[in-house]
Structures are given as structure tokens and as C-alpha cells.
Amino acid sequence: MPVEITWWGHATCTVADSDVRVLTDPLFARRLAHLRRRRGALPAPDAWRADVALVSHLHADHLHVPSLARLAEGTRLLVPRGAPRSVPGLRRLTHLRVTEVEPGEVTQVGAVRVRAVPARHDGRRLPFGRRHSPALGFVVEGEARTYFAGDTGLFDEMAAEVGPVDAALLPVGGWGPSLGEGHLDAGRAAEALARLAPRSAVPVHYGTYWPIGMDAVRPHEFHAPGDEFVRLAAERAPGVAVHRLGHGESIRLGVTA
């Protein structure tokens, strides 16, 4: 059975594996604070359908309570340990089955195992959060092993912590003209790809949201990271098939040996 990966924009993807739909960092909004969705139509309601949704960290463009509220009754939701304490809105989502996880923990969802892995990123609910929750990545293990990095910087133990994977969903940009500490740009994402050595990769976390009023300011930094990642990945990890998807586009992966 093929594994299908769909990119909806920003860090939101659906991984369909072994008849289980996994949704990453759901963000279905035209506007978020000072950010506006500038590319890609809002996904249709079918995109909200999931057996389990994964939240990598507490930043509002990854843990978006109004988007999570759209998920169907009984959907499993995995969040970093301590998230409900830091984000009171999570506690109002009583229609979801919320589970707090930390690196190393494994959750079984149907025929799929979801393993939380470390990320190097600020785990607070910004701008005012003082409590820390771990920033996470996730490895979805079914017919294939798919790594969703969330937001992360490079770190020495990345390959060992993530383990062998068939596909990697890697952030390659952001939502403004600069990236702070704990992020991957196109070059660092290509280096991560060389370390992880998956069969396939999809660049995410770019080309969707941009600050209001900055439409004409260095617009190439909004559009360019995906193409730059493709170029640099070909140099540093030539054995990896990189798929630069448009919003709402999908790829299918073969079954692992």
C-alpha cells in the first residue's frame, strides 16, 4: 500500500499510512496575528480529517487552537508535555483525545506507531510564556517511516535520535525576512538531509504566510527557500529524491523493503 504525503501549507501536512491519517501542526487560517496567508487557498474541510494530529511545539503558528477546534470528535491529539498548562485554550477542546508526550515516547494509532523525537527550538508559548514544554519532531512508522521535524535547528544527535527514515518533512524557511536561532534555512535543511539520508524529502514551512505590510519587502525570501533547498539538496544529498510540492499537492511513496 503506498504512503501518501500532502502539503497544505506552512508546516501542515497529511501523512496517510496504513489506513491512518496523520495531520501535522494544523493551521487553517487566512490570518494569524500579523501574518496573512499569501499563497495557496485555504484547504477544503477534507484536509481537517485525521485519526491523529501532531503538535510539534507551542508557537501559535504550530499550535493554533481555532484550527484544532475544527478537528472531528474523538480525534487523537499529541502535544508536548505541559502544553495544556501553558495554553489554556487546549483544555477547552474536550471533543479531542489529548495526550501529552515527550521525546522517546511512542503512541500506537491503529497500525501506525508515532514516536516523539527531540527538536532544538524554543518550546515556550510566545511572546509571554514562561513555562517550557519540549519542542518535538515525530517519526510516523507504518508502511514507511516518515520524519516530521516541526521547527528545529541542526544538532549533533539528530540522525541518532531520529533513526533511519524513508521520508523527511523538513522546514526550509519561515514567515519573515530572517530566521532566529533554532530554525533550518534551505542550507541547514540540506545539511540535515545529508545526515538523515532518507529516500525522499519534502520542504515545508515556507511560502505560505508573510507579515502584513511586507509584501514588497524582499519578496524573494518568501518564495525562494523551496527552490534553494532543491538546489542545495542535489549538491549535498544527491541520493535523496526531493519533491517541492505546491499547496494541496501530494506524493506517493512505495512500501519499504
Side-chain angles (χ1 to χ4, degrees):
M1 177 185 300
V3 175
E4 185 172 85
I5 297 170
T6 305
W7 182 52
W8 302 113
H10 202 55
T12 306
C13 300
T14 294
V15 179
D17 188 332
S18 305
D19 290 326
V20 175
R21 287 176 63 91
V22 181
L23 183 65
T24 67
D25 285 352
L27 180 57
F28 303 123
R30 296 188 185 278
R31 179 173 174 177
L32 174 63
H34 64 299
L35 304 179
R36 183 178 65 193
R37 190 176 180 113
R38 288 196 57 219
R39 180 174 282 186
L42 280 180
D46 184 63
W48 312 341
R49 185 167 56 89
D51 298 292
V52 59
L54 312 178
V55 169
S56 63
H57 62 287
L58 305 191
H59 295 173
D61 58 324
H62 294 260
L63 195 170
H64 186 243
V65 173
S67 293
L68 295 175
R70 295 180 177 184
L71 300 180
E73 177 90 27
T75 301
R76 192 81 176 267
L77 177 63
L78 305 187
V79 300
R81 189 165 301 283
R85 179 184 62 180
S86 299
V87 185
L90 271 177
R91 300 197 291 269
R92 296 194 292 270
L93 302 180
T94 55
H95 67 298
L96 304 180
R97 298 161 55 204
V98 180
T99 302
E100 301 176 48
V101 296
E102 59 188 21
E105 293 188 345
V106 175
T107 304
Q108 190 78 33
V109 183
V112 161
R113 300 169 74 249
V114 180
R115 177 165 52 92
V117 298
R120 293 297 181 268
H121 193 66
D122 190 331
R124 294 173 296 167
R125 181 69 163 182
L126 299 178
F128 306 115
R130 290 177 293 178
R131 297 189 178 99
H132 284 263
S133 288
L136 303 173
F138 294 93
V139 179
V140 178
E141 302 176 349
E143 295 289 336
R145 293 160 298 190
T146 303
Y147 170 48
F148 169 63
D151 259 352
T152 187
L154 278 173
F155 55 99
D156 291 342
E157 306 85 6
M158 177 180 277
E161 293 282 4
V162 172
V165 291
D166 301 294
L169 313 179
L170 296 178
V172 302
W175 47 254
S178 62
L179 286 173
E181 188 73 19
H183 292 85
L184 298 178
D185 59 11
R188 292 192 290 270
E191 173 59 28
L193 200 63
R195 298 182 186 186
L196 296 168
R199 298 180 182 182
S200 302
V202 175
V204 302
H205 204 279
Y206 79 100
T208 308
Y209 293 91
W210 202 245
I212 294 170
M214 293 188 66
D215 293 16
V217 178
R218 303 169 77 178
H220 64 285
E221 295 194 1
F222 173 76
H223 300 292
D227 288 334
E228 183 71 358
F229 174 70
V230 171
R231 183 182 70 81
L232 293 173
E235 295 176 359
R236 302 180 191 178
V240 181
V242 177
H243 305 271
R244 189 180 70 78
L245 301 178
H247 293 81
E249 289 186 347
S250 303
I251 59 165
R252 287 193 169 192
L253 309 177
V255 178
T256 59

